[in-house]
Short mmCIF file of all heavy atoms in Angstrom, two decimals:
data_model
loop_
_atom_site.label_atom_id
_atom_site.label_comp_id
_atom_site.label_asym_id
_atom_site.label_seq_id
_atom_site.Cartn_x
_atom_site.Cartn_y
_atom_site.Cartn_z
N SER A 143 9.59 -26.30 48.03
CA SER A 143 10.14 -25.95 49.32
C SER A 143 9.04 -25.49 50.23
O SER A 143 9.08 -25.84 51.45
CB SER A 143 11.18 -24.85 49.14
OG SER A 143 12.31 -25.28 48.50
N GLY A 144 8.08 -24.81 49.72
CA GLY A 144 6.95 -24.38 50.59
C GLY A 144 6.12 -25.53 51.11
O GLY A 144 5.62 -25.43 52.24
N LEU A 145 6.05 -26.54 50.34
CA LEU A 145 5.35 -27.75 50.73
C LEU A 145 6.16 -28.69 51.63
O LEU A 145 5.69 -29.70 52.15
CB LEU A 145 4.80 -28.56 49.51
CG LEU A 145 3.75 -27.86 48.72
CD1 LEU A 145 3.46 -28.61 47.41
CD2 LEU A 145 2.46 -27.75 49.48
N GLY A 146 7.50 -28.37 51.76
CA GLY A 146 8.36 -29.15 52.61
C GLY A 146 8.97 -30.37 51.86
O GLY A 146 9.54 -31.25 52.52
N ASP A 147 8.85 -30.42 50.58
CA ASP A 147 9.36 -31.56 49.84
C ASP A 147 10.84 -31.40 49.49
O ASP A 147 11.54 -32.40 49.18
CB ASP A 147 8.55 -31.78 48.49
CG ASP A 147 7.13 -32.29 48.80
OD1 ASP A 147 6.89 -32.73 49.89
OD2 ASP A 147 6.30 -32.07 47.91
N LEU A 148 11.35 -30.12 49.49
CA LEU A 148 12.67 -29.85 49.07
C LEU A 148 13.27 -28.78 50.01
O LEU A 148 12.53 -27.76 50.32
CB LEU A 148 12.67 -29.27 47.65
CG LEU A 148 13.99 -29.08 46.91
CD1 LEU A 148 14.62 -30.50 46.68
CD2 LEU A 148 13.80 -28.36 45.67
N PRO A 149 14.46 -28.96 50.53
CA PRO A 149 15.02 -28.01 51.44
C PRO A 149 15.18 -26.63 50.83
O PRO A 149 15.52 -26.51 49.55
CB PRO A 149 16.46 -28.53 51.73
CG PRO A 149 16.31 -30.06 51.47
CD PRO A 149 15.30 -30.15 50.33
N TRP A 150 14.96 -25.53 51.59
CA TRP A 150 15.00 -24.25 51.01
C TRP A 150 16.40 -23.85 50.52
O TRP A 150 16.52 -23.04 49.57
CB TRP A 150 14.56 -23.24 52.09
CG TRP A 150 13.06 -23.04 52.17
CD1 TRP A 150 12.26 -23.54 53.16
CD2 TRP A 150 12.22 -22.34 51.25
NE1 TRP A 150 10.93 -23.09 52.89
CE2 TRP A 150 10.96 -22.40 51.69
CE3 TRP A 150 12.56 -21.68 50.05
CZ2 TRP A 150 9.85 -21.80 50.98
CZ3 TRP A 150 11.52 -21.04 49.35
CH2 TRP A 150 10.15 -21.15 49.82
N TRP A 151 17.46 -24.44 51.16
CA TRP A 151 18.81 -24.03 50.66
C TRP A 151 19.02 -24.47 49.22
O TRP A 151 19.77 -23.82 48.50
CB TRP A 151 19.86 -24.60 51.61
CG TRP A 151 20.04 -26.10 51.55
CD1 TRP A 151 19.50 -27.00 52.36
CD2 TRP A 151 20.90 -26.79 50.66
NE1 TRP A 151 19.90 -28.27 52.01
CE2 TRP A 151 20.72 -28.21 51.03
CE3 TRP A 151 21.73 -26.46 49.57
CZ2 TRP A 151 21.47 -29.20 50.30
CZ3 TRP A 151 22.36 -27.44 48.92
CH2 TRP A 151 22.25 -28.81 49.26
N VAL A 152 18.41 -25.56 48.90
CA VAL A 152 18.60 -26.11 47.45
C VAL A 152 17.90 -25.05 46.50
O VAL A 152 18.52 -24.65 45.47
CB VAL A 152 17.90 -27.39 47.26
CG1 VAL A 152 17.89 -27.86 45.84
CG2 VAL A 152 18.60 -28.51 48.08
N THR A 153 16.64 -24.61 46.86
CA THR A 153 15.96 -23.64 46.04
C THR A 153 16.78 -22.33 45.96
O THR A 153 16.88 -21.72 44.89
CB THR A 153 14.63 -23.39 46.67
OG1 THR A 153 13.79 -24.53 46.54
CG2 THR A 153 13.87 -22.23 45.94
N ILE A 154 17.31 -21.94 47.11
CA ILE A 154 18.09 -20.60 47.15
C ILE A 154 19.32 -20.72 46.21
O ILE A 154 19.63 -19.85 45.50
CB ILE A 154 18.44 -20.23 48.60
CG1 ILE A 154 17.17 -19.88 49.30
CG2 ILE A 154 19.45 -19.08 48.62
CD1 ILE A 154 17.37 -19.71 50.89
N VAL A 155 20.05 -21.87 46.37
CA VAL A 155 21.26 -22.02 45.60
C VAL A 155 20.97 -21.99 44.09
O VAL A 155 21.62 -21.30 43.31
CB VAL A 155 21.98 -23.31 45.97
CG1 VAL A 155 23.11 -23.72 44.97
CG2 VAL A 155 22.63 -23.22 47.38
N ILE A 156 19.95 -22.74 43.73
CA ILE A 156 19.64 -22.82 42.25
C ILE A 156 19.12 -21.50 41.70
O ILE A 156 19.67 -21.01 40.65
CB ILE A 156 18.62 -23.94 42.03
CG1 ILE A 156 19.23 -25.31 42.32
CG2 ILE A 156 18.14 -23.88 40.56
CD1 ILE A 156 18.23 -26.49 42.11
N LEU A 157 18.24 -20.88 42.45
CA LEU A 157 17.67 -19.62 41.92
C LEU A 157 18.73 -18.44 41.96
O LEU A 157 18.74 -17.62 41.02
CB LEU A 157 16.43 -19.18 42.77
CG LEU A 157 15.22 -20.07 42.59
CD1 LEU A 157 14.06 -19.53 43.36
CD2 LEU A 157 14.85 -20.20 41.13
N ALA A 158 19.58 -18.45 42.98
CA ALA A 158 20.62 -17.40 43.02
C ALA A 158 21.57 -17.54 41.89
O ALA A 158 21.98 -16.59 41.26
CB ALA A 158 21.39 -17.52 44.34
N ARG A 159 21.87 -18.79 41.55
CA ARG A 159 22.79 -19.08 40.39
C ARG A 159 22.17 -18.63 39.05
O ARG A 159 22.77 -17.88 38.28
CB ARG A 159 23.16 -20.48 40.36
CG ARG A 159 24.18 -20.90 39.29
CD ARG A 159 23.54 -21.23 38.03
NE ARG A 159 24.49 -21.79 37.04
CZ ARG A 159 24.24 -21.91 35.72
NH1 ARG A 159 23.09 -21.40 35.23
NH2 ARG A 159 25.08 -22.48 34.93
N GLU A 160 20.91 -18.96 38.88
CA GLU A 160 20.19 -18.70 37.63
C GLU A 160 20.03 -17.17 37.39
O GLU A 160 20.38 -16.69 36.32
CB GLU A 160 18.83 -19.40 37.59
CG GLU A 160 18.94 -20.94 37.69
CD GLU A 160 19.67 -21.49 36.56
OE1 GLU A 160 19.70 -20.89 35.44
OE2 GLU A 160 20.22 -22.63 36.72
N VAL A 161 19.56 -16.54 38.43
CA VAL A 161 19.34 -15.06 38.32
C VAL A 161 20.68 -14.33 38.24
O VAL A 161 20.85 -13.44 37.39
CB VAL A 161 18.57 -14.56 39.55
CG1 VAL A 161 18.48 -13.04 39.47
CG2 VAL A 161 17.11 -15.13 39.52
N GLY A 162 21.69 -14.77 39.02
CA GLY A 162 22.92 -14.12 38.95
C GLY A 162 23.69 -14.28 37.62
O GLY A 162 24.23 -13.24 37.12
N ILE A 163 23.63 -15.45 37.05
CA ILE A 163 24.30 -15.65 35.75
C ILE A 163 23.56 -14.89 34.66
O ILE A 163 24.16 -14.26 33.72
CB ILE A 163 24.40 -17.15 35.37
CG1 ILE A 163 25.22 -17.92 36.43
CG2 ILE A 163 24.87 -17.37 33.97
CD1 ILE A 163 26.74 -17.38 36.43
#
Side-chain angles (χ1 to χ4, degrees):
S143 294
L145 292 171
D147 293 340
L148 190 67
W150 273 107
W151 70 265
V152 173
T153 294
I154 292 172
V155 167
I156 293 177
L157 292 185
R159 186 270 190 198
E160 298 299 333
V161 175
I163 296 301

